[in-house]
Amino acid sequence: MAISAIPIGKKNNGFNIPMGYFWAIFIVCITPTLLSLLGVEIIYDEYKLISFSKINQSISTELILGRTFTTIWIIFSIAVGIFTCILTLIDFKVKKNIAAPVIGLILVCSAIFDMVHLLIVLGALHVKLGLDEAIYYSWFISRLLHAVLLLAGTIFILNTRPEYIKSDKQKVKLVKTLGISFLVITLFLIVYVIKVKEIPESIIQRDSFFTHPFELLSILIYLVWGGLAMPKVLKIYQGIFFQMLILSMIPAIFSNIHMAIFFKNFDIEYNFAQFLKLVAYVVPLIGISLNYSRNIAKQHQMNMMLDEEIRAKEKVQEDLERRQSLLQHAEKLANMGSWDLDVETKEINFSDALYKIFGYMPNSISPSLELMYNMIIPDYRAEYKQMLENAITNQTSFNTEYEVLWVNGERRYILAQCRYIASDKKIIGTCLDISELKETTQKLSQNEVLLKEAESIAHNGSFEWFNGVDHIFWSDELFRIHGYEPNSINLTFQFYKKLVHPDDLERCEKLQQKIAESKKNFALEYRIIRPDKEVRYVYLTAKVILSKDESINKIIGNLQDITELKNAAILLEKTESIYKTIASNVPDSVVLMYDRSFKLILFDGPILENITFKNELYTGIPLSDMFSAEEAQQNEDILKRAFEGEELQVEKDFENEKTFMIDFKPVRNASGDIFNVMVVMHDITEIKKVQKSLESKVEELNRSNQDLEQFAYVASHDLQEPLRKIRAFGDRLQTKFSSNIADEGLDYIKRMQSASERMQTLIDDLLTFSRVTRTDEGYVEVDLHDQLQKIIEDLEFTIEKKNATIDLMVNHSICAIPGQIRQLFQNLISNAVKFTNEGVPPLVEIKSEILRGDAFNEEQLEQNKDYCRITVKDNGIGFDQQYSEKIFELFQRLHTRNEYQGTGIGLAVCKKIVEKHNGIIKVNSKQNEGTMFTIILPVNQ
C-alpha cells in the first residue's frame, strides 16, 4: 500500500495522515476478509443467525438476504457520493480551490453509474446480457470508471497551475467543463453496458480461484493512484480531506479483492465487496466533514495564537537580537540558511549562510523570490512554487526536498522547511544542505536494492547472529525461503528448530555444539519445513567472527535454497537407475543412448556381450570408435533425423547370422525439446524364423480352407439331385400305390419324406453358410428400416399365425451387403417368433442407435469410429445364459427336433455375417423370460 511508504509516526509523519482513522478503516476492511476466510457461523437451534461462509448453492435464503443487503449498500453508496459532491462544491464556492470539487464530481459520476447498477440488480433495467453477467459487468465497469476517474482527476489536479487560472470565473468554468466531461464518459459507459450483447469468457472464470481476474486491473489502477499520484497531491494539499481521500484506497482495493474471488451474485464475498465500496465512498465524506470542523477549530486556534503573540510581542522584540546572533552561529554550524518573505510586498531577505548554500558570497547579489526560484532546478521548481503559493494562500506550513544548481554547475540537495507567520504576514523558511547525507543515503539504498535483487535472483539470503543474543537477523529473501513474509515473525533459536526437518534436527544440533568448541567456519545441507508443509532443501555456509579474547563474537552467513537442484539430482539418479534396470531386463536386446554430439552416454542390455563393436564401449565414446567409417556415417545420418523429431526403425542382418530390429527414438524433456536419442537393438532372429514358418503354414491353411469351402459347396449341390429323386419317387409311391401298400409301408414312406425335407433344409442352410464367405456382393448403403420392413412382410403369414407383435424402432443406414443383412435379421426375427411360450403372444422389439466406439467396452472396436447398435428383444422361452457362446456354433441346438424344428445353423450364419461386416453379436437371455440379441455394426466400412 502507498501509505506504507509514508512516515506514519506522530512525530515523523510526512503527510500527517491520522493514524486513528487509518487503523479504523483498515480494521473495518480486514474484518470481513477474516470472517470470510474463517467461514464464521453463529447458529441457534439449527438456524443460522449470522453466516460468513461461502454460498455454493444456486438458490438459497442466504442469496435472497444477500440481494437485500446489496440493495441497501448500493443505495447508501449513491447517497454518500451525491452528498460528498455537494459538500465539495460548497467548499469550492467558499475557497475557490478546484481540487476538492474534482473529487466530488468523480464521486457523483460513480453514484450515477451505481444507480444504473442498482436498476440492473433490481431487474428494473433490461440489458442485452444475462442478469448474472449484467450484474457483475455493471459492477466491473462502475469500479473501473471510479478508479480511472480518480487517477485522471488526480493528474488533472497536479497539472493545474494557479498562474494560468487566476480568476474565479475561470475556475468555475474549468470545474463545469470537467464535470461535463466526466458525465459524458459516464453516460457513454451506461449506454455501453445497456447495449453490449456478450462479454469475453476470460472476465468470468468459475473454475479458478480468481473467478473474476479482471478485478486485478482496477486494483492496479488504485495502487497507481494511491502509490504514485496521491502522495504528490498530499505534498500540495495537506488538508484532512486529501489525507482521508488516500485512505479510501484501502476499502476500494479490499472491495475489488472480494469481488475477484466471489462465486455467485449476492453471496457473502459479493456483499462484502458492495459494503467496502460504500466504505470507500464514506471515507472522503468523513474527510470533507472533518475539513469543515478543523477549519473552524483552526480559525479559533489561530485567534488564540494571535492573542498570545500580541502579549508576547514585546518579549520577542527584546530577545530578537540575541536570537538572531544565536541563529547565525547555529546556521554556520549546521550548514543551514534561513529566509523570510513579506507576503504583501514580496520583499525577501537571505541570511548570510543561505548565500553560501546557494553558491554566492554573502550580500553579493540582491535577493528576490524570482532569484530563489531560478536557483532550483526545473524538475523541482514548479512543485516548490506551487507549495509556497499554497502556504501563502492557506496560511500553512510545508517541508520538501529539492536540488539547486550553483553557478559552477555543481548540484546540491536542499531540505527546505517553511512556515506562514500570520501575525507578521510573512513566510519564514530554512534551507539545510543535505548533499553529503543524500549521496550517502542513495548509495546505501542502491547497495541494499542490489543486494536484495541479487538474493532474489540467486534465491539465497543472509543472516547475522551475535553471541549471547537469542534473536537472529535475517534478510528479506531468507524469510521468503522459509515461507514467511519479511519481518513477519520473531526469529529465535527455539523457533527455528521447529522449521528444521525432524530427521535433520539432531545432526544440526550436533554441528552447533561442534562449532561452539572448534570456533571454525562451517557449511551444512539440511531440510526445512515451510508453514504450508512443503519440504525444501537448503545449503548453509557461515563464517565465525571472533573477539579479541578468541571468544565467538558473531556468526554471519548465507543460506541458499537448493531444492530444485537437489530434486533434479535425485530425479537424474532415479532415472538412470530405472533406465539401467529396464535396459538390463528387456530380453534379447541392447539399449544405447546418444547425445547431440553423437556420443554414447548410456549403454546396457542382456545381450550386450554378444554384439561386437569396433572398440570396447565406454561413456562418451564417439560413433567413429564404435563402427567402421561407412557404418558410422549411416548411423550419424539416422541420428540426425531422429534429433529432428523423426522416429525410425531399421532391420539389419549381422555377420553372425543374427537379425536385429533397431529403433531410433527421440527423447524429449518437459518442454518438448529433444536432448537425447535412444537406440533399442532387439534380436529378432528367432522371430524371423518363426514368422517365415507361420507364413508358410498360413498359405497352406488358406489353400486347405479354399478346398474345404469348394468341397462343401460342390457337395451340397451334388447332394440335392439324388435328394430330389428320393422325394419325387416317395411322392409317386404315396400318390399312385397307397392303396396297394400296407399301413406300415405308408408309415415308412412318410418317415422317408420327412427325413428328406430335413435333409433339404440342412443342405439349404449349409449353402447359406457357405455363401456368407463366397458372396460377390459389394458394400452399399443399406436402409435398415426398409430391409426390416420387407422381412416383416415376408414373414407376415408366420407372424399372423402366432399372433405376434413386431415393434420396429429403427431409422438408421449403414454400409453393408444387403442380402446378408436381410439374412441376418430374418434368422433373428424367425427365431423370436418360433421360440415362444405356450399361450403367450410373441412380442419382438427392434431398436437401433448410433454410438462412438469408445462407448463400448470392446477391444476389437475402433475407439474413434461410429457404430450402429441394433437390439432384437423377444418375450419367448429364453435359455440359460451359460449357452450364450454355444448357440452360435454350427449344428448346436438347445431343444429337440420334436420340440422346435431347425438345423442349428441359423445363428452360426448370423455370427458369420456380423464378423464379415467387422462387427460383434452378443446375446443375453434368461429361462422363460425372453432373449435379447445385440448386433454392433460399423456405420462405414
Side-chain angles (χ1 to χ4, degrees):
M1 230 189 301
I3 294 176
S4 65
I6 302 173
I8 59 175
K10 186 68 177 175
K11 296 181 179 179
N12 189 24
N13 190 347
F15 299 126
N16 197 26
I17 291 178
M19 291 308 298
Y21 292 110
F22 167 78
W23 286 114
I25 293 169
F26 183 79
I27 291 170
V28 168
C29 294
I30 198 66
T31 299
T33 305
L34 294 176
L35 292 174
S36 174
L37 290 173
L38 297 174
V40 174
E41 292 185 350
I42 300 177
I43 302 176
Y44 177 76
D45 197 18
E46 298 184 354
Y47 177 77
K48 294 183 179 179
L49 299 176
I50 299 176
S51 175
F52 295 98
S53 58
K54 293 186 178 180
I55 301 172
N56 293 321
Q57 298 85 357
S58 58
I59 299 176
S60 66
T61 55
E62 286 93 341
L63 290 178
I64 296 172
L65 185 61
R67 181 173 181 174
T68 302
F69 277 103
T70 296
T71 305
I72 294 171
W73 308 138
I74 298 174
I75 291 173
F76 275 96
S77 298
I78 295 170
V80 169
I82 294 173
F83 190 62
T84 304
C85 180
I86 293 172
L87 290 180
T88 57
L89 292 176
I90 294 172
D91 183 76
F92 170 70
K93 189 173 182 180
V94 174
K95 297 181 179 179
K96 298 303 179 184
N97 188 337
I98 65 172
V102 170
I103 305 302
L105 292 173
I106 293 170
L107 291 176
V108 80
C109 288
S110 298
I112 293 171
F113 200 99
D114 286 343
M115 293 180 189
V116 176
H117 177 57
L118 177 62
L119 293 176
I120 294 174
V121 168
L122 297 176
L125 179 61
H126 299 287
V127 296
K128 303 290 185 180
L129 295 171
L131 183 58
D132 282 348
E133 292 180 337
I135 290 173
Y136 170 69
Y137 200 54
S138 60
W139 157 275
F140 173 69
I141 297 298
S142 170
R143 301 312 297 151
L144 197 60
L145 172 66
H146 181 255
V148 171
L149 288 183
L150 278 177
L151 183 59
T154 305
I155 294 172
F156 173 82
I157 292 170
L158 291 172
N159 288 277
T160 303
R161 298 184 179 180
E163 59 264 33
Y164 299 140
I165 307 171
K166 296 181 179 179
S167 67
D168 292 344
K169 288 184 179 180
Q170 287 179 316
K171 294 179 181 180
V172 171
K173 183 177 180 182
L174 186 61
V175 171
K176 288 182 178 179
T177 303
L178 190 64
I180 293 171
S181 302
F182 286 170
L183 183 60
V184 169
I185 294 172
T186 304
L187 294 177
F188 172 78
L189 290 177
I190 291 173
V191 174
Y192 167 73
V193 169
I194 295 173
K195 297 294 184 181
V196 67
K197 296 182 179 179
E198 62 179 3
I199 61 176
E201 294 181 359
S202 58
I203 288 183
I204 302 177
Q205 298 181 4
R206 297 290 187 190
D207 295 330
S208 66
F209 176 76
F210 287 101
T211 55
H212 302 81
F214 274 74
E215 291 295 324
L216 300 177
L217 177 59
S218 300
I219 293 174
L220 178 61
I221 297 173
Y222 281 125
L223 289 173
V224 172
W225 170 71
L228 299 178
M230 278 304 296
K232 296 180 180 179
V233 173
L234 287 174
K235 291 180 180 179
I236 303 172
Y237 303 96
Q238 296 192 1
I240 186 62
F241 174 69
F242 287 97
Q243 294 168 359
M244 292 295 291
L245 179 63
I246 193 172
L247 295 181
S248 70
M249 177 180 64
I250 301 173
I253 292 176
F254 271 87
S255 174
N256 284 99
I257 291 173
H258 280 282
M259 191 58 74
I261 61 174
F262 93 96
F263 182 78
K264 192 169 187 65
N265 288 328
F266 312 122
D267 68 5
I268 192 65
E269 301 288 352
Y270 180 92
N271 266 275
F272 282 156
Q274 293 284 8
F275 168 74
L276 292 172
K277 182 185 73 173
L278 170 59
V279 175
Y281 285 4
V282 168
V283 171
L285 176 61
I286 295 172
I288 194 69
S289 302
L290 289 173
N291 192 45
Y292 280 104
S293 63
R294 286 193 177 187
N295 283 340
I296 295 172
K298 188 175 181 180
Q299 186 63 41
H300 177 69
Q301 185 179 6
M302 288 179 65
N303 291 336
M304 293 179 64
M305 289 176 60
L306 185 60
D307 292 336
E308 292 178 3
E309 287 177 359
I310 293 173
R311 288 192 298 269
K313 190 173 182 180
E314 292 181 358
K315 185 178 180 179
V316 170
Q317 191 67 32
E318 294 174 357
D319 295 338
L320 183 60
E321 292 182 0
R322 181 175 58 83
R323 290 179 179 271
Q324 186 70 26
S325 177
L326 290 173
L327 178 61
Q328 290 179 354
H329 290 294
E331 286 182 348
K332 290 179 181 179
L333 292 173
N335 197 17
M336 180 178 69
S338 61
W339 57 271
D340 63 85
L341 171 68
D342 189 304
V343 174
E344 294 181 351
T345 63
K346 302 301 181 183
E347 182 181 349
I348 189 169
N349 297 307
F350 288 176
S351 67
D352 292 346
L354 188 61
Y355 284 101
K356 294 181 180 180
I357 288 174
F358 286 159
Y360 294 96
M361 293 299 293
N363 302 312
S364 60
I365 56 173
S366 299
S368 67
L369 190 60
E370 194 64 30
L371 174 64
M372 189 169 67
Y373 285 154
N374 291 333
M375 291 295 299
I376 302 172
I377 66 172
D379 292 344
Y380 297 90
R381 188 179 301 159
E383 183 180 357
Y384 180 82
K385 188 176 182 181
Q386 180 67 38
M387 294 174 70
L388 183 58
E389 290 177 354
N390 289 338
I392 295 172
T393 303
N394 301 323
Q395 299 184 1
T396 57
S397 304
F398 70 92
N399 57 67
T400 185
E401 290 183 13
Y402 58 81
E403 288 182 78
V404 296
L405 185 65
W406 284 6
V407 291
N408 62 0
E410 182 181 354
R411 289 191 175 196
R412 306 292 290 178
Y413 287 93
I414 304 299
L415 174 62
Q417 292 184 331
C418 297
R419 179 183 295 275
Y420 182 85
I421 306 301
S423 58
D424 296 334
K425 293 184 180 180
K426 285 186 178 182
I427 287 282
I428 62 172
T430 60
C431 297
L432 177 64
D433 189 338
I434 58 170
S435 301
E436 287 73 16
L437 178 62
K438 192 72 175 179
E439 291 175 1
T440 303
T441 304
Q442 287 179 346
K443 289 179 180 179
L444 287 174
S445 299
Q446 290 173 357
N447 291 337
E448 185 177 356
V449 170
L450 289 174
L451 179 60
K452 288 183 178 180
E453 288 296 328
E455 287 187 347
S456 178
I457 293 171
H459 207 31
N460 61 37
S462 56
F463 67 90
E464 184 176 20
W465 170 77
F466 286 89
N467 190 14
V469 179
D470 191 33
H471 179 77
I472 308 171
F473 169 77
W474 273 4
S475 66
D476 291 352
E477 188 62 25
L478 206 53
F479 280 97
R480 297 188 184 98
I481 289 174
H482 287 78
Y484 293 93
E485 288 298 318
N487 301 312
S488 61
I489 56 174
N490 182 24
L491 188 63
T492 63
F493 275 108
Q494 197 63 31
F495 177 80
Y496 190 71
K497 287 181 180 180
K498 299 178 182 178
L499 304 182
V500 179
H501 196 283
D503 295 343
D504 297 339
L505 182 58
E506 183 179 355
R507 182 162 54 91
C508 293
E509 290 178 338
K510 288 181 178 179
L511 179 64
Q512 183 181 358
Q513 296 174 358
K514 184 178 179 181
I515 294 165
E517 297 172 359
S518 65
K519 303 174 184 177
K520 293 182 179 180
N521 301 338
F522 62 93
L524 178 65
E525 179 185 316
Y526 60 96
R527 290 167 292 175
I528 59 171
I529 302 177
R530 287 183 170 184
D532 60 0
K533 306 304 180 184
E534 181 185 4
V535 177
R536 306 289 293 181
Y537 288 88
V538 296
Y539 185 75
L540 181 146
T541 56
K543 183 177 182 180
V544 179
I545 308 297
L546 301 178
S547 302
K548 292 182 180 180
D549 59 357
E550 296 299 319
S551 63
I552 296 178
N553 178 31
K554 65 178 180 179
I555 297 177
I556 59 174
N558 179 273
L559 184 140
Q560 184 172 13
D561 187 339
I562 60 169
T563 305
E564 284 70 25
L565 183 62
K566 192 73 176 179
N567 289 338
I570 294 172
L571 180 61
L572 180 61
E573 183 179 346
K574 288 181 178 179
T575 303
E576 186 172 346
S577 176
I578 292 170
Y579 161 78
K580 287 184 175 292
T581 301
I582 294 173
S584 60
N585 286 279
V586 176
D588 301 327
S589 67
V590 172
V591 181
L592 311 173
M593 189 80 76
Y594 292 93
D595 61 15
R596 283 194 168 272
S597 60
F598 309 125
K599 290 181 179 180
L600 187 66
I601 57 174
L602 289 172
F603 54 92
D604 210 333
I607 61 170
L608 183 62
E609 296 178 355
N610 299 335
I611 301 176
T612 303
F613 293 95
K614 182 178 176 181
N615 294 297
E616 184 177 351
L617 298 184
Y618 59 86
T619 302
I621 185 173
L623 285 174
S624 57
D625 292 344
M626 294 176 63
F627 306 100
S628 64
E630 183 179 354
E631 284 184 308
Q633 185 60 47
Q634 291 175 354
N635 287 327
E636 183 176 331
D637 293 339
I638 296 174
L639 286 172
K640 285 180 180 179
R641 293 168 62 187
F643 273 110
E644 291 174 357
E646 188 176 352
E647 293 189 7
L648 300 151
Q649 190 176 68
V650 178
E651 185 177 312
K652 185 174 181 180
D653 296 323
F654 284 78
E655 295 178 357
N656 56 0
E657 297 183 355
K658 292 284 187 179
T659 302
F660 281 84
M661 182 64 71
I662 307 174
D663 290 290
F664 294 80
K665 300 283 187 181
V667 181
R668 301 176 185 272
N669 57 22
S671 60
D673 298 326
I674 299 171
F675 64 96
N676 284 329
V677 170
M678 182 171 64
V679 180
V680 181
M681 300 176 63
H682 189 68
D683 187 349
I684 60 171
T685 306
E686 296 300 323
I687 296 175
K688 293 292 289 185
K689 291 179 181 179
V690 172
Q691 183 179 354
K692 289 179 181 178
S693 176
L694 286 175
E695 289 175 356
S696 175
K697 290 181 179 180
V698 168
E699 289 179 1
E700 293 178 5
L701 185 60
N702 287 336
R703 287 195 297 270
S704 176
N705 286 339
Q706 290 176 359
D707 293 342
L708 286 173
E709 289 179 6
Q710 186 68 25
F711 172 78
Y713 185 75
V714 173
S716 298
H717 277 76
D718 292 345
L719 284 173
Q720 291 197 68
E721 181 59 29
L723 186 62
R724 280 195 293 270
K725 289 182 179 181
I726 292 172
R727 294 183 66 184
F729 287 128
D731 287 341
R732 290 179 185 177
L733 283 173
Q734 192 174 15
T735 302
K736 292 183 179 182
F737 304 103
S738 59
S739 58
N740 299 327
I741 301 174
D743 292 339
E744 186 178 358
L746 290 174
D747 182 55
Y748 291 156
I749 293 172
K750 185 176 181 181
R751 291 184 180 183
M752 179 186 69
Q753 290 294 82
S754 177
S756 300
E757 289 178 5
R758 293 197 302 275
M759 185 66 178
Q760 181 66 50
T761 303
L762 180 59
I763 291 171
D764 290 341
D765 287 347
L766 282 171
L767 286 172
T768 301
F769 187 79
S770 177
R771 289 192 194 101
V772 173
T773 305
R774 300 172 57 83
T775 182
D776 294 330
E777 288 186 80
Y779 289 94
V780 296
E781 186 175 352
V782 176
D783 189 323
L784 294 177
H785 181 83
D786 290 346
Q787 290 293 330
L788 288 167
Q789 193 66 45
K790 291 176 182 178
I791 294 169
I792 293 171
E793 291 174 0
D794 292 343
L795 298 174
E796 183 177 1
F797 176 74
T798 304
I799 293 171
E800 289 181 357
K801 182 178 179 181
K802 285 277 192 173
N803 193 24
T805 301
I806 309 296
D807 191 356
L808 183 61
M809 290 174 284
V810 177
N811 291 293
H812 297 104
S813 297
I814 64 172
C815 183
I817 301 172
Q820 291 188 5
I821 291 297
R822 188 177 181 119
Q823 183 69 45
L824 167 66
F825 289 106
Q826 184 170 330
N827 288 354
L828 294 176
I829 296 173
S830 298
N831 286 350
V833 175
K834 179 168 64 174
F835 297 102
T836 58
N837 289 306
E838 189 69 28
V840 178
L843 173 62
V844 183
E845 296 180 355
I846 308 173
K847 300 179 182 179
S848 70
E849 60 180 335
I850 302 295
L851 297 170
R852 297 287 285 179
D854 54 11
F856 305 99
N857 189 20
E858 300 292 343
E859 294 182 358
Q860 57 266 50
L861 300 182
E862 298 181 26
Q863 299 297 302
N864 298 320
K865 192 171 183 179
D866 291 332
Y867 289 86
C868 182
R869 179 168 67 185
I870 309 104
T871 57
V872 180
K873 182 180 180 182
D874 63 56
N875 63 342
I877 61 174
F879 59 86
D880 196 323
Q881 185 64 24
Q882 65 177 319
Y883 302 115
S884 60
E885 296 295 334
K886 183 178 179 182
I887 63 172
F888 292 110
E889 299 176 5
L890 278 171
F891 307 117
Q892 294 298 323
R893 298 170 53 88
L894 300 182
H895 305 278
T896 63
R897 188 179 296 109
N898 293 331
E899 292 177 306
Y900 297 97
Q901 295 182 354
T903 61
I905 296 178
L907 289 180
V909 171
C910 291
K911 185 173 183 181
K912 196 77 172 177
I913 292 172
V914 172
E915 289 178 347
K916 184 174 179 62
H917 283 76
N918 301 312
I920 296 174
I921 184 169
K922 291 184 174 183
V923 63
N924 289 290
S925 184
K926 196 170 184 180
Q927 195 77 34
N928 296 322
E929 293 187 12
T931 303
M932 184 175 74
F933 286 91
T934 301
I935 303 98
I936 303 173
L937 298 173
V939 174
N940 297 298
Q941 292 293 331

